[in-house]
């Protein structure tokens, strides 16, 4: 055994010069490899899709390219580590490659998320306007945002990447678009409102009644860039619908409204009698019309109709007041001049004048 040990030491001494020579060679190669790793790391940070916001297919191609290069570097590092162990050199560690591998996995997660979102949104594109269920889509969108933010919480460094932020912006934009689409489904929307929306969005026309009008067409309008304008259009439509319905109610009521006539003292003559319904409708409808006029821009489309009915009901009220007052005066004077012979004899001129008025009034009432 001692002999074997001595031979081993002698052999070691014999190969020591070669070992030292090989050590120097390995160290030179290690230095060059270290520089190549650093260069690879720099290119990865510059070229990997951290800031890219385009098609996931292109991002995946870049990720695959960097992954292949990293595989080669890791194999080289393993070979150098084995040589370092063999030649009793300190084993090198390459933190850059570990960081790169970690970031590659994280980038893959980010782009998987973007691909999922694009697939989800594209699956909505074919939905026809009348079939869009915004509540269901909003629920899905909230889940997407929740998953993205959980991923960012688990790996905080992602939040600083442009790719991550662009995905977050995409989801947030959709969270604005969906409620607007829901509002645009309001039954109050008329052609004039869609024309206003088209002008805001910079397109020639928007026709939701087109059987080919889809979710994709709506998203293409970029309504999320015109939130205030869209909300104002919908608000105007809703306010105008209320005015339109109230005007229609007023018009229908007065088309069917009739004046009540009652017989006068068991004679064939009939006198007008204002019912509570007529009086209440006159008062309430004039108040409602006055309220409409005070609604500013919301009444513009119906202003002429509102003013027309204001004038009509105002004139009607004036005429009815005069009519009732004249009827009341005639009734009082009739009991004086036609029922008392003494007064007729004492006031012959007034009696004659009243008889003329009486005849004219009765003729007017007959016509009425």
């Amino acid at each position: 055994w001692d002999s074997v040990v001595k031979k081993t030491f002698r052999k070691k001494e014999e190969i020591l010069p070669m070992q030292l020579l090989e050590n120097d060679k390995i160290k030179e190669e290690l230095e060059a490899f270290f520089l190549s790793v650093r260069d690879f790391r720099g290119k990865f940070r510059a070229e990997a899709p951290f800031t890219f916001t385009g098609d996931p297919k292109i991002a995946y191609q870049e990720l695959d390219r960097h992954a292949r290069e990293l595989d080669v570097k890791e194999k080289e590092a393993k070979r150098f580590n084995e040589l370092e162990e063999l030649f009793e050199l300190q084993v090198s560690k390459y933190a850059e490659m570990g960081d790169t591998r970690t970031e590659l996995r994280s980038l893959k997660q980010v782009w998987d998320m973007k691909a999922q979102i694009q697939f989800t949104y594209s699956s909505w594109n074919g939905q026809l306007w009348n079939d869009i269920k915004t509540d269901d889509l909003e629920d899905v969108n909230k889940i997407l945002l929740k998953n993205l933010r959980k991923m960012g919480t688990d790996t905080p460094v992602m939040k600083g990447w442009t790719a991550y932020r662009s995905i977050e912006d995409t989801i947030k934009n959709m969270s604005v678009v969906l409620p607007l689409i829901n509002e645009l489904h309001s039954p109050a929307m008329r052609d004039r409102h869609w024309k206003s929306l088209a002008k805001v969005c910079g397109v020639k026309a928007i026709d939701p009644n087109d059987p080919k009008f889809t979710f994709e067409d709506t998203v293409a309008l970029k309504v999320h860039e015109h939130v205030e304008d869209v909300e104002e259009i919908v608000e105007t439509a809703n306010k105008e619908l209320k005015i339109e319905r109230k005007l229609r109610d007023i018009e229908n009521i007065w088309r069917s409204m009739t004046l009540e006539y009652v017989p006068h003292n068991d004679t064939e003559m009939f006198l007008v009698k204002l019912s509570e319904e007529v009086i209440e409708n006159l008062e309430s409808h004039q108040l409602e019309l006055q309220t409409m006029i005070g609604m500013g821009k919301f009444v513009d489309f119906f202003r002429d109709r509102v003013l027309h009915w204001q004038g009509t009901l105002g004139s009607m009220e004036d005429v009815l007041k005069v009519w009732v007052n004249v009827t009341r005066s005639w009734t009082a004077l009739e009991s004086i001049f036609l029922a008392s012979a003494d007064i007729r004899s004492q006031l012959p001129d007034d009696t004659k004048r009243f008889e003329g008025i009486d005849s004219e009034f009765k003729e007017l009432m007959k016509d009425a």
Side-chain angles (χ1 to χ4, degrees), residues 139-166:
D139 289 340
V140 173
N141 203 56
K142 288 176 183 177
I143 292 172
L144 292 175
L145 184 59
K146 179 180 178 182
N147 291 341
L148 177 70
R149 286 178 171 170
K150 181 180 184 305
M151 193 167 69
T153 300
D154 294 341
T155 312
V157 68
M158 287 181 182
K159 295 180 180 180
W161 298 344
T162 303
Y164 177 96
R165 293 198 299 271
S166 74

Side-chain angles (χ1 to χ4, degrees), residues 264-265 269 271-274 279 319-336 354 357 361 365:
H264 175 60
N265 294 336
M269 183 178 178
L271 299 179
V272 69
K273 178 184 177 182
L274 293 185
I279 295 171
V319 169
L320 288 174
K321 281 181 179 179
V322 172
W323 196 345
V324 169
N325 288 335
V326 169
T327 301
R328 189 178 294 118
S329 299
W330 174 84
T331 303
L333 290 172
E334 183 199 35
S335 64
I336 295 173
F354 176 75
I357 294 172
F361 179 73
M365 289 307 301

Side-chain angles (χ1 to χ4, degrees), residues 129-338:
W129 177 254
N130 290 330
D131 296 333
I132 298 173
K133 302 292 187 295
T134 52
D135 288 343
D136 295 341
L137 303 187
E138 283 188 74
D139 289 340
V140 173
N141 203 56
K142 288 176 183 177
I143 292 172
L144 292 175
L145 184 59
K146 179 180 178 182
N147 291 341
L148 177 70
R149 286 178 171 170
K150 181 180 184 305
M151 193 167 69
T153 300
D154 294 341
T155 312
V157 68
M158 287 181 182
K159 295 180 180 180
W161 298 344
T162 303
Y164 177 96
R165 293 198 299 271
S166 74
I167 296 172
E168 189 173 35
D169 289 342
T170 299
I171 299 176
K172 285 181 177 179
N173 287 342
M174 186 60 74
S175 69
V176 174
V177 169
L178 291 173
L180 290 177
I181 291 177
N182 183 57
E183 290 185 28
L184 289 170
H185 273 82
S186 169
M189 291 290 289
R190 300 288 185 267
D191 289 343
R192 62 183 180 275
H193 304 125
W194 289 108
K195 287 179 182 178
S196 297
L197 182 63
K199 185 177 181 181
V200 165
C201 297
V203 297
K204 289 184 178 179
I206 302 172
D207 183 10
N209 297 317
D210 183 344
K212 295 181 180 179
F213 190 69
T214 64
F215 180 87
E216 183 177 18
D217 296 324
T218 312
V219 173
L221 296 174
K222 297 183 179 180
V223 290
H224 64 280
E225 296 179 0
H226 313 283
V227 176
E228 291 184 2
D229 291 327
V230 175
E231 288 178 341
E232 183 178 349
I233 290 170
V234 175
E235 181 188 13
T236 299
N238 290 330
K239 293 284 181 64
E240 287 182 351
L241 180 61
K242 292 179 180 179
I243 294 173
E244 182 180 6
R245 286 174 174 171
K246 180 52 65 176
L247 272 176
R248 190 184 306 124
D249 290 343
I250 291 173
E251 290 168 348
N252 290 336
I253 286 172
W254 287 105
R255 281 195 189 99
S256 60
M257 186 73 69
T258 58
L259 281 175
E260 184 179 352
Y261 295 89
V262 294
H264 175 60
N265 294 336
D266 297 326
T267 66
E268 293 183 358
M269 183 178 178
F270 287 81
L271 299 179
V272 69
K273 178 184 177 182
L274 293 185
S275 65
E276 289 295 324
E277 183 183 14
V278 171
I279 295 171
E280 289 176 2
N281 281 326
L282 268 176
E283 292 177 353
S284 64
H285 289 168
Q286 287 188 94
L287 180 60
E288 287 170 355
L289 290 167
Q290 187 59 42
T291 301
M292 291 180 198
I293 285 295
M295 293 179 70
K297 63 181 180 181
F298 301 119
V299 78
D300 284 347
F301 186 77
F302 303 99
R303 188 175 296 278
D304 290 343
R305 282 172 67 187
V306 173
L307 291 174
H308 164 73
W309 276 100
Q310 268 194 319
T312 299
L313 295 184
S315 297
M316 189 186 303
E317 182 180 35
D318 293 340
V319 169
L320 288 174
K321 281 181 179 179
V322 172
W323 196 345
V324 169
N325 288 335
V326 169
T327 301
R328 189 178 294 118
S329 299
W330 174 84
T331 303
L333 290 172
E334 183 199 35
S335 64
I336 295 173
F337 288 103
L338 300 184

Side-chain angles (χ1 to χ4, degrees), residues 47-104:
E47 299 172 3
F50 292 101
T51 59
F52 180 66
T53 58
D55 190 339
K57 290 181 181 178
I58 298 176
Y60 283 140
Q61 290 173 357
E62 284 298 302
L63 290 173
D64 287 343
R65 179 173 69 82
H66 289 296
R68 288 193 297 270
E69 292 181 12
L70 181 59
D71 287 341
V72 171
K73 294 297 181 187
E74 287 175 337
K75 287 178 182 178
E76 285 187 74
K78 182 179 180 182
R79 182 178 68 83
F80 278 120
N81 285 162
E82 290 172 350
L83 287 174
E84 286 169 331
E85 290 179 354
L86 180 62
F87 286 91
E88 299 178 347
L89 297 174
Q90 183 176 353
V91 177
S92 302
K93 294 181 180 180
Y94 304 96
E96 294 94 336
M97 285 194 285
D99 293 341
T100 302
R101 177 64 67 184
T102 299
E103 289 175 353
L104 264 175

Side-chain angles (χ1 to χ4, degrees), residues 117-127 215:
I117 290 168
Q118 284 193 351
F119 175 80
T120 300
Y121 290 171
S122 64
S123 70
W124 298 350
N125 286 339
Q127 294 186 28
F215 180 87

